Amino acid sequence: MPLPLDGTFTYALPEAFAQKVKEGCRLTVPFGAKKRYSAIVSRIHDQRPEGYEVKEALELLDDAPILLPGQLRLWQWIADYYLSSVGMVYKAALPSGLKEEDEQTSYRPKMNSYVQLTDAYAQQQALMDVFVELKRSPKQAALLMKYIEVSKVVASINLGNPSLKLEVEKGELLKAADAHSSILQALVERGILEIYEKQVLRLEHDEIPTQVLLRPLSPAQQQAFDAILAAFQQQNICLLHGVTSSGKTEVYIHLIQQTIERGKQVLYLLPEIVLTTQLVNRLKRVFGGRLGVYHSKYSDAERVEVWQKQLSQEPYDIIVGVRSSVFLPFQRLGLVIVDEEHEQSFKQQDPTPRYHGRNVALVLAQMSGAKTLLGTATPSLETYYNCQVGKYALVELFERYQQVTLPHIEVVNLAEQRRRKLMSGPFSDPLVVAIREALSQGEQVILFQNRRGYSPNVECHQCGWVPRCPHCDVSLTHHKRLNQMTCHYCGYTIPIALKCPNCEGMQLDSIGFGTERIEDVIRRLFPEARVARMDLDTTRSRSSYEKILSDFQHGKTDILVGTQMVTKGLDFERVSVVGILNADTMLNMPDFRAYEHAFQMMEQVAGRAGRSGKQGRVVLQTKTPVLPVVDMVARHDYLSLYQTQMEERQAFRYPPLTRLIYVYMKHRYESVLNGLAYDMSATLRAVFGDRVLGPDTPPIARIQNLYIRKIVLKIELAAPIPEVRARLRQVAQYYASQPQFKSATVYFDVDPV
Ligand code: ADP
Ligand code: ZN
Ligand code: ZN
C-alpha cells in the first residue's frame, strides 16, 4: 500500500479477475472505512489470515505486472536499510500516474486516430477499380486520391509491396485534402478505408539527432577504458578518478557502447542539476533513440511512458537519469554509471525514504548482476576509502584532454586586501584584473558565490535590529529585485522594511553578498560586459535554466555569476577565469565534512576554467589563506586532502570509519521536545552506550514553527546493523505510543551527508 506502513495485507480476489492477477500488478482495494488505494500484489496465496475479516479487492488495474520480480526486493532493501517503510518506498518509486486511482491524476495514454485501406482494397487492382465505383462521388474520390498521395501508396507499388496498408494520421489527411470528416466517414462505410486508434508516445516527439560515430579515445583515455574493463573481470565496482576535463564522459560513452553491444542495458545516473541538455544531446548524438531520459522536471506522463517502455519488448538500452531512475524496471541491466559520485544531492533529504542514489544504485547493480562505475574528479572519502581497502577497483585518469594543464589557482588574502583598501565590494584587486584581462581577450568568466539573494542579512545601522523569520530560526534574505525579504527555509516573505521597527531608524544596511548583489557590483565595475546569473531564483523552470547555459555557451554572455549550480559538470570552451568569491562560507560550515565538501566544490568550479586549449586561471578569495585545505585546493592535491581528513575521521570516529545515524525530533513546543530528546537519548544510551551523542540543538533550531533536536549515533563498521535497526525501530515505536510524545515527529537519517 502507498502508505507509511510496513508489511503487507491480504485481500480476497473476486472470480471476475482472480485468474488474471499476477504478482507485480496493481489492484484497487478498500482500506479503513472509506478509503481506496491502488496496492501492488506482492504474493498470491490461499491461506486465509486469522484475526481479521478479509475484504475483497475492487478492481484489477493492470493486465501485466508493472514491476519486475527483483524490484520489490530492492524496495524492501531500501525500506530496511534507511529505516523507512515499503509503502513510502512505493510512493517514492512510482511516477504518480501509476499510483493514483484518482481519475484526475492517473495516467492516460495519448491516443491518435489513423486511417488505412481495408484488407479488401489494399491491393493494386482493387484500388484501381474503386475509382470507377466512386465516379459519382468526386469528393470521396478526391479524398482517396489524397490518401494515396500522402501515404505514398505509389512508392509502395513501385517497390513491389503486395499489401498497401499504409497508415496516415487522420487529422493530417483531412487537412491535406481540405475535406470534412463526413467524407472520410463515407469511405469508411463503403468499406474502403478504416479508422483506428493508436497510442502515441509523448516521448518520441522530441527529434532525435542523427547518429554519429564514436570519437576515438586519446591514449590516456584508452588506457583508462582498458583498465576499467580489466578491473571488471575481477571486481564489480570501479572508481574512475579522473581530473576535470579529462574526458570521463567520453570514456563512459565507449563503455556504454561496449555494454549495449553485448545486449545489456545501462543506467547512467547523474545528480539533478548536472543533467543538462548539453550532456543529453552529446549522448543522443551517439545513441539516438536507444537512449531515454528520466528526470523529475519531465512531466509525469512522460515518466510513465519511460516506465512502460522499460517493461515492453523494446526497452531503452540506456537510461540517463537522476536518483529516482534507480526505481525503473530493467530487464537486462549490465552497467551502472554514477557520474559525480561525490555529489551530496544524490541523497534524498525529505521525505522518507532518505536514500542515497549512488548507494541504492550499487545495490541495484549487485542484485542485477551488473557492474558499477563511479566517476568523479573529487571522490567522496567513502568511495576512495573503499578503493584503499580493496573493495572497489581504482582507475586514474590524470591527464586533461589534449594535455591542457589544470588551472592555475591564485589564493588571495581578503583581510590583507581590505587593509590595503584594494577591495571593490566583494572583489579583490587580482580578481578585478583577471576579469578585465579575460574580457579584453574575448574570453569568459565564472564567478562563484554560494549564497543566493542580494544579501543574507539586513541590519539597522543605528540599533542593530535584524529582520528574522517568525516561523524559523533564521534571518531573512534580502532579494532586491523583488523588493522582498524571504526566509529560505519556509518561504515566508515580506516587503523590504523602510525603517527599523525597533528604533524608527531610516538606514538599513545590507550585510554580506549574495549572487544578486555580486551581479549588481560586477555590472557597475564592467558596464560593457554582458552578465547573467544562475541560481535557484533565476532557474525556476527548465527552460530558463537551459537558456542561461546556452547563452553562455554560445558567447552571448561574458560573465556568469552563480551558486554551486555553476560548479557542476558544465563544459564551456571559452572560460579562462573563475573567481571563488568567498571560500570561508564553505570552510566554516559546522559539519565534519566541511573541508571535504569545500575542496570538492572549489576543485569542481576551478575545473570549469581552461577546458580547451589554454590553461585557465582561478582566483580564490579567503580570509584564511593559511588553512592547509586552501593550499590543497591550490595544488589540486586530492591525496593530501584524503589523508589529512582520514586522520581526523579516525581520531573522532567519523565516517567512513564508522556509520552515522541521525535521529531527528520535531515539535511545536520546545519544552515537550526537550523532554522527548532527553528521555530518548537516555533510552538510546541504555542500548548503545557511548555510541550516542546529544541531544543537540542544530544550527537552525526551528523550521516552520517546529523546534528541532538531533541525536547522533556512531556505530562501528563491524556492528550487526540489522540488530541496530531493529532496536531503533523499537525505540521509535515506543515513543510513538507514549501519550505525551505522540504529537512529536521522530525520524531517522541513515548515512547522512
Ligand atoms: P570530464 O567529464 O572528465 O570533465 P569531458 O568528458 O567533458 O571531461 O571532456 C572535456 C572536453 O574534451 C569535452 O569538450 C569533450 O568533448 C572533449 N573530449 C574529451 N575526450 C575527447 C575525445 N576522445 N575526442 C574528442 N573530444 C574529446
Ligand atoms: Zn533600529
Ligand atoms: Zn521561515
Side-chain angles (χ1 to χ4, degrees):
M1 309 286 294
L3 296 169
L5 298 168
D6 257 312
T8 53
F9 298 83
T10 298
Y11 284 88
L13 292 175
E15 280 301 312
F17 53 77
Q19 298 308 316
K20 289 201 240 161
V21 176
K22 298 183 194 76
E23 283 166 13
C25 285
R26 289 170 309 151
L27 291 172
T28 322
V29 297
F31 193 79
K34 286 200 203 67
K35 291 243 159 46
R36 20 156 61 212
Y37 289 101
S38 28
I40 293 178
V41 178
S42 75
R43 196 162 67 86
I44 301 169
H45 62 85
D46 59 3
Q47 291 113 43
R48 179 175 290 277
E50 305 206 338
Y52 64 92
E53 189 206 343
V54 178
K55 291 185 190 162
E56 208 166 69
L58 302 170
E59 199 189 339
L60 174 63
L61 294 172
D62 305 301
D63 299 331
I66 60 154
L67 290 184
L68 297 174
Q71 286 185 280
L72 272 174
R73 212 153 40 95
L74 183 67
W75 289 13
Q76 190 63 56
W77 183 88
I78 294 171
D80 289 344
Y81 187 87
Y82 291 103
L83 290 160
S84 184
S85 60
V86 176
M88 291 308 282
V89 181
Y90 170 11
K91 288 188 88 161
L94 289 190
S96 15
L98 286 179
K99 65 190 173 214
E100 316 279 343
E101 100 274 4
D102 173 3
E103 298 283 315
Q104 300 295 312
T105 49
S106 79
Y107 170 76
R108 290 265 163 272
K110 188 169 157 193
M111 306 300 278
N112 246 344
S113 300
Y114 293 85
V115 177
Q116 66 183 11
L117 288 168
T118 58
D119 282 338
Y121 289 91
Q123 294 111 29
Q124 196 176 343
Q125 195 54 48
L127 193 56
M128 279 158 72
D129 292 347
V130 82
F131 281 97
V132 182
E133 195 184 315
L134 287 177
K135 242 181 172 160
R136 284 157 184 278
S137 319
K139 281 186 180 166
Q140 291 177 37
L143 182 58
L144 189 60
M145 252 345 265
K146 208 57 180 180
Y147 165 80
I148 288 170
E149 181 190 321
V150 177
S151 66
K152 305 202 171 66
V153 161
V154 178
S156 188
I157 291 173
N158 291 342
L159 289 170
N161 289 344
S163 171
L164 301 175
K165 276 177 121 34
L166 295 169
E167 102 183 354
V168 174
E169 209 231 309
K170 182 181 154 196
E172 191 190 332
L173 175 62
L174 292 176
K175 201 165 149 219
D178 194 17
H180 194 263
S181 61
S182 59
I183 300 169
L184 178 59
Q185 207 48 49
L187 286 166
V188 172
E189 271 154 31
R190 280 178 191 264
I192 300 171
L193 289 176
E194 59 192 12
I195 301 176
Y196 57 97
E197 296 245 301
K198 203 173 79 169
Q199 182 181 356
V200 279
L201 290 181
R202 292 163 172 91
L203 297 164
E204 285 173 355
H205 282 320
D206 43 275
E207 80 202 67
I208 292 153
T210 45
Q211 305 228 348
V212 294
L213 293 175
L214 291 193
R215 297 191 282 195
L217 294 175
S218 71
Q221 290 167 350
Q222 185 65 45
Q223 248 178 32
F225 176 84
D226 293 340
I228 293 165
L229 288 187
F232 281 156
Q233 297 294 319
Q234 318 285 331
Q235 272 171 298
N236 291 327
I237 305 168
C238 177
L239 167 67
L240 173 59
H241 182 197
V243 295
T244 52
S245 204
S246 57
K248 292 184 290 296
T249 320
E250 221 56 48
V251 174
Y252 301 153
I253 290 174
H254 282 252
L255 281 167
I256 293 170
Q257 177 69 22
Q258 195 262 2
T259 309
I260 62 179
E261 267 168 14
R262 291 186 290 121
K264 296 284 194 175
Q265 288 174 302
V266 179
L267 168 61
Y268 185 151
L269 212 62
L270 278 157
E272 188 94 27
I273 49 188
V274 183
L275 187 41
T276 58
T277 320
Q278 201 183 28
L279 177 82
V280 169
N281 286 346
R282 194 165 154 194
L283 293 170
K284 275 204 175 159
R285 275 197 295 275
V286 182
F287 300 111
R290 303 178 78 171
L291 177 94
V293 183
Y294 199 68
H295 195 293
S296 59
K297 283 201 174 145
Y298 281 23
S299 74
D300 194 68
E302 284 171 304
R303 286 193 286 156
V304 172
E305 282 178 1
V306 173
W307 190 288
Q308 288 177 334
K309 187 158 166 76
Q310 292 319 86
L311 288 169
S312 74
Q313 298 295 316
E314 286 183 332
Y316 288 117
D317 293 317
I318 309 149
I319 291 284
V320 183
V322 292
R323 67 167 174 258
S324 58
S325 41
V326 297
F327 293 118
L328 280 170
F330 289 94
Q331 304 183 40
R332 39 192 166 78
L333 190 62
L335 175 68
V336 177
I337 296 168
V338 184
D339 195 14
E340 311 291 351
E341 68 81 29
H342 65 281
E343 267 288 322
Q344 292 140 263
S345 57
F346 275 124
K347 182 87 195 288
Q348 167 142 322
Q349 297 298 349
D350 246 334
T352 174
R354 296 177 173 81
Y355 67 103
H356 198 301
R358 174 196 64 210
N359 296 352
V360 171
L362 287 166
V363 174
L364 168 70
Q366 193 202 354
M367 287 181 171
S368 321
K371 305 288 179 186
T372 308
L373 180 68
L374 309 173
T376 176
T378 52
S380 64
L381 256 56
E382 279 73 8
T383 294
Y384 207 75
Y385 173 73
N386 279 328
C387 293
Q388 299 300 307
V389 297
K391 268 175 83 177
Y392 303 171
L394 173 63
V395 171
E396 294 172 333
L397 181 52
F398 285 170
E399 178 187 298
R400 284 188 136 189
Y401 182 61
Q402 291 179 329
Q403 283 124 25
V404 177
T405 4
L406 282 167
H408 173 76
I409 299 186
E410 181 181 351
V411 178
V412 174
N413 185 343
L414 280 175
E416 186 199 297
Q417 288 278 311
R418 215 156 270 155
R419 207 172 48 242
R420 293 171 52 199
K421 304 219 174 339
L422 290 172
M423 297 294 291
S424 322
F427 295 98
S428 65
D429 186 49
L431 182 51
V432 172
V433 171
I435 297 172
R436 185 170 304 132
E437 274 176 26
L439 293 178
S440 72
Q441 296 181 20
E443 293 162 353
Q444 292 174 307
V445 175
I446 289 180
L447 298 173
F448 167 52
Q449 169 74 324
N450 213 13
R451 273 217 166 112
R452 67 190 171 97
Y454 186 77
S455 66
N457 273 311
V458 174
E459 193 181 280
C460 172
H461 194 74
Q462 226 159 272
C463 76
W465 168 81
V466 172
R468 304 184 67 83
C469 177
H471 311 293
C472 312
D473 264 1
V474 291
S475 58
L476 297 177
T477 299
H478 179 196
H479 289 257
K480 191 177 173 194
R481 211 132 312 160
L482 300 168
N483 245 323
Q484 288 171 340
M485 298 189 293
T486 296
C487 169
H488 283 180
Y489 287 83
C490 73
Y492 172 83
T493 297
I494 50 169
I496 178 85
L498 293 174
K499 64 179 178 192
C500 171
N502 196 29
C503 74
E504 308 254 298
M506 295 297 282
Q507 189 185 340
L508 297 174
D509 298 335
S510 291
I511 310 291
F513 289 86
T515 43
E516 195 185 346
R517 192 169 184 189
I518 305 273
E519 185 192 357
D520 264 20
V521 179
I522 201 79
R523 280 181 196 278
R524 247 181 287 134
L525 288 176
F526 298 98
E528 73 287 0
R530 296 160 301 172
V531 183
R533 169 163 58 97
M534 188 159 83
D535 56 29
L536 203 61
D537 300 311
T538 62
T539 56
R540 298 276 174 199
S541 74
R542 191 166 119 204
S543 58
S544 53
Y545 178 64
E546 301 290 0
K547 176 147 187 354
I548 294 170
L549 287 180
S550 109
D551 282 356
F552 195 59
Q553 183 162 26
H554 295 116
K556 290 185 194 160
T557 34
D558 304 307
I559 302 178
L560 183 61
V561 179
T563 53
Q564 57 187 357
M565 281 187 185
V566 299
T567 69
K568 322 275 164 155
L570 301 171
D571 183 31
F572 302 112
E573 277 175 33
R574 280 182 291 262
V575 175
S576 65
V577 170
V578 164
I580 299 171
L581 285 150
N582 186 350
D584 304 295
T585 47
M586 295 174 270
L587 295 166
N588 295 338
M589 291 290 261
D591 184 283
F592 72 92
R593 288 196 178 93
Y595 286 4
E596 179 188 351
H597 289 159
F599 181 94
Q600 288 163 340
M601 241 188 271
M602 289 194 266
E603 184 64 34
Q604 292 286 347
V605 70
R608 302 311 114 205
R611 287 175 74 86
S612 69
K614 168 175 161 192
Q615 190 187 21
R617 196 168 153 191
V618 178
V619 179
L620 190 169
Q621 305 188 146
T622 173
K623 280 184 222 134
T624 50
V626 291
L627 278 183
V629 57
V630 171
D631 191 45
M632 290 168 200
V633 175
R635 289 186 288 109
H636 304 285
D637 187 357
Y638 175 78
L639 215 56
S640 293
L641 175 92
Y642 174 76
Q643 280 155 356
T644 50
Q645 284 304 294
M646 285 301 283
E647 280 164 24
E648 277 192 22
R649 307 281 173 98
Q650 176 89 53
F652 298 103
R653 295 197 298 135
Y654 272 113
L657 299 165
T658 57
R659 290 171 203 274
L660 286 187
I661 298 177
Y662 290 165
V663 187
Y664 282 101
M665 288 145 284
K666 294 187 180 177
H667 200 277
R668 280 192 84 79
Y669 301 114
E670 201 163 16
S671 54
V672 177
L673 185 64
N674 277 334
L676 171 65
Y678 284 102
D679 207 296
M680 183 167 328
S681 65
T683 307
L684 289 171
R685 273 203 182 83
V687 182
F688 296 106
D690 65 357
R691 298 175 187 86
V692 179
L693 305 177
D696 280 337
T697 305
I700 295 164
R702 188 178 55 125
I703 294 176
Q704 287 182 313
N705 294 319
L706 294 176
Y707 291 90
I708 309 166
R709 294 291 181 271
K710 180 173 114 183
I711 297 175
V712 174
L713 229 79
K714 274 186 196 170
I715 299 157
E716 51 275 34
L717 295 179
I721 284 300
E723 208 170 295
V724 172
R725 288 195 300 250
R727 300 303 279 272
L728 285 175
R729 278 186 197 275
Q730 270 172 12
V731 170
Q733 265 156 23
Y734 168 77
Y735 284 98
S737 71
Q738 297 299 298
Q740 71 270 40
F741 298 135
K742 257 199 345 228
S743 51
T745 306
V746 175
Y747 65 83
F748 301 101
D749 189 1
V750 178
D751 300 340
V753 293

